[in-house]
């Protein structure tokens, strides 16, 4: 079992142990940011999702594409203009 091994290794070494699904017996934990933020549909067993950014990103991309197709982006606020020398 990974937890028992994590406990044994953590006790045996003088350096911090970092786990990714090995159990809280390690000195620290690591997660892939995209996993914990819910960017992908599949979530590994050792991940706790703290957000659902996939739906946020999908919505933002769809809104951007719709604005480009409707020729409302870029608008006046997003366009650089040359100042006339006058």
């Amino acid at each position: 079992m990974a937890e028992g091994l994590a406990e044994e290794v953590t006790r045996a070494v003088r350096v911090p142990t970092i786990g990714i699904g090995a159990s809280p017996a390690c000195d620290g934990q690591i997660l892939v940011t995209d996993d914990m933020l819910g960017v992908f549909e599949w979530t590994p067993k050792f991940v706790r999702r703290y957000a659902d950014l996939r739906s946020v990103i999908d919505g933002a991309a769809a809104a951007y594409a719709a604005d480009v197709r409707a020729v409302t982006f870029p608008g006046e606020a997003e366009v650089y203009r040359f100042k006339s020398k006058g």
Side-chain angles (χ1 to χ4, degrees), residues 42-85:
W42 180 75
T43 302
K45 175 181 174 47
F46 55 83
V47 171
R48 182 180 297 170
R49 281 195 174 182
Y50 290 88
D52 178 17
L53 293 188
R54 180 184 176 92
S55 63
V56 174
I57 292 167
D58 287 350
Y64 166 73
D67 286 350
V68 170
R69 288 185 191 106
V71 194
T72 61
F73 180 85
E76 188 61 33
E78 295 94 15
V79 174
Y80 286 99
R81 303 277 183 217
F82 288 112
K83 294 180 182 180
S84 62
K85 293 182 181 182

Side-chain angles (χ1 to χ4, degrees), residues 7-40:
E7 289 172 355
E8 186 177 331
V9 169
T10 300
R11 277 195 309 270
V13 299
R14 292 183 176 177
V15 296
T17 58
I18 307 299
I20 182 163
S23 83
C26 295
D27 295 313
Q29 301 295 321
I30 188 170
L31 285 179
V32 175
T33 304
D34 290 352
D35 291 340
M36 69 180 273
L37 296 179
V39 175
F40 303 107

